[in-house]
Amino acid sequence: MSGMYSYLKARFGVASSDEGATAVEYGIMVALIAIVIIVAVIAVGQNLLSVFTEVAENLELNGAEG
């Protein structure tokens, strides 16, 4: 692994510190967390939509409409 790092450092001028790699790792972690949150919100939103639709239909069937 260090041979590849040395090659990349020499070839592309990669910084010698690990700060860049840490920032990238945190960026990837934040992106993955954001994806999980978006998927969860979409799933919960779909479930809530079906619940509210069912409640509205039951209200209409029971004559409790405004």
Side-chain angles (χ1 to χ4, degrees):
M1 182 77 170
S2 102
M4 187 165 89
Y5 180 74
S6 297
Y7 170 76
L8 290 174
K9 182 178 173 185
R11 179 78 175 145
F12 299 107
V14 175
S16 61
S17 70
D18 290 335
E19 291 177 11
T22 303
V24 171
E25 290 167 357
Y26 280 125
I28 291 171
M29 188 170 59
V30 167
L32 290 174
I33 290 170
I35 290 170
V36 169
I37 290 171
I38 291 169
V39 169
V41 167
I42 290 172
V44 169
Q46 291 296 323
N47 288 338
L48 281 177
L49 179 63
S50 66
V51 167
F52 284 125
T53 303
E54 184 179 340
V55 168
E57 289 172 355
N58 285 335
L59 288 174
E60 287 175 5
L61 289 175
N62 293 328
E65 186 175 77

